[in-house]
């Protein structure tokens, strides 16, 4: 994108707005029901991801790493996640 | 996520809704202005990305590949993108 | 809201962000399926409407009037809307 | 809308999705900054409001009434709202 000098508009705030806007275009594939054209869905998803990557870059974080970090936090908060596979100890935990 | 049997709820439609919902939580960091806590922004971004990856998985597409594919389409539509770096021929094209 | 001096934050842009954010909270009622608690849905809808009214106020337009105006535009664009009730002439028009 | 038999698609869930989608089109007016064409903003706001009214209708609630009800709840939760105008007693309450 550097070639177009678009970067000046890519403040974290504008990128966050852009992610919401593109997410809604993705949602539009499903506006009136569950059936949607997979190719169009993939294309709209790509647009969401593109802005996510640009925002991660702005923040100086690695997209894959923050996903893994968040997953770790979730697992710690809900040990049942792991427990179910590893032991029967927490089997009765309510999800 | 398989451990929690959440996958049954992960229809493409529900994941598209989830991406919109999480994108709005990301946007909430910037609701009243451009200043936002970077750590919180990264965490909300991770949530958006997590659902994006789940949807890509459902669609059987590779997240990185669809981003690259889409970028290629954009470049073909706007050859000025590449032109600026490679030649002076299209230098005066208006962005 | 004047009592809290919140108005200074109510720029059209911030209100537009707020409408998106509240809309996503409304959507969250339906995140995993069509069933939702009606009382909660009505409450989230009220939040969306509240920000819509604040934005209309900022723009100096009447919320009801812009809805009627837009409906008029839609009817002119799709005369079949009215035609169906008034005549059988356009009955077979595809929607 | 009855004329077009669109109503069958107007489940609360689909209307909630539609409100999010139209909100994002409204947000798009401000994607790269605070300046936006007022006429276009009003038109996009009208689209959001139209789906809000359809959803209120589906729920059997009055749009104006739920806004007033919610405002009442907010005022009860934050008595400082009213206090500021009526007395100095709560002046130091943190917002």
């Amino acid at each position: 994108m550097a070639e177009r000098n678009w970067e000046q508009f890519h403040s974290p705030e504008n990128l966050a707005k852009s992610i919401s806007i593109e997410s809604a275009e993705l949602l539009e594939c499903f506006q009136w029901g569950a059936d949607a054209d997979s190719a169009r869905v993939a294309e709209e998803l790509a647009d969401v991801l593109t802005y996510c990557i640009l925002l991660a870059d702005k923040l100086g974080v690695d997209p894959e790493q923050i996903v893994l970090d968040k997953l770790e936090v979730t697992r710690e908060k809900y040990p049942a996640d792991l427990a179910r596979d590893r032991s029967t100890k927490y089997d009765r935990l309510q999800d």
Side-chain angles (χ1 to χ4, degrees), chain A residues 50-70:
Chain A
T50 300
Y51 281 115
C52 286
I53 291 165
L54 288 169
L55 178 54
D57 187 59
K58 270 279 165 194
L59 296 170
V61 298
D62 177 60
E64 284 184 52
Q65 195 54 53
I66 60 171
V67 168
L68 293 173
D69 290 350
K70 186 65 193 267

Side-chain angles (χ1 to χ4, degrees), chain A residues 79-88 90-91 93-95:
Chain A
D81 267 330
L82 291 171
R84 182 161 304 171
D85 278 345
R86 291 189 184 159
S87 104
T88 56
Y90 299 101
D91 254 342
L93 276 176
Q94 280 297 93
D95 287 352

Side-chain angles (χ1 to χ4, degrees), chain A residues 2 15 17 24 26 28 41 44 47 56 59 71 88 95:
Chain A
L15 292 170
K17 284 183 272 177
L26 171 62
E28 206 177 349
V41 173
E44 299 295 349
D47 288 340
L59 296 170
L71 192 61
T88 56
D95 287 352

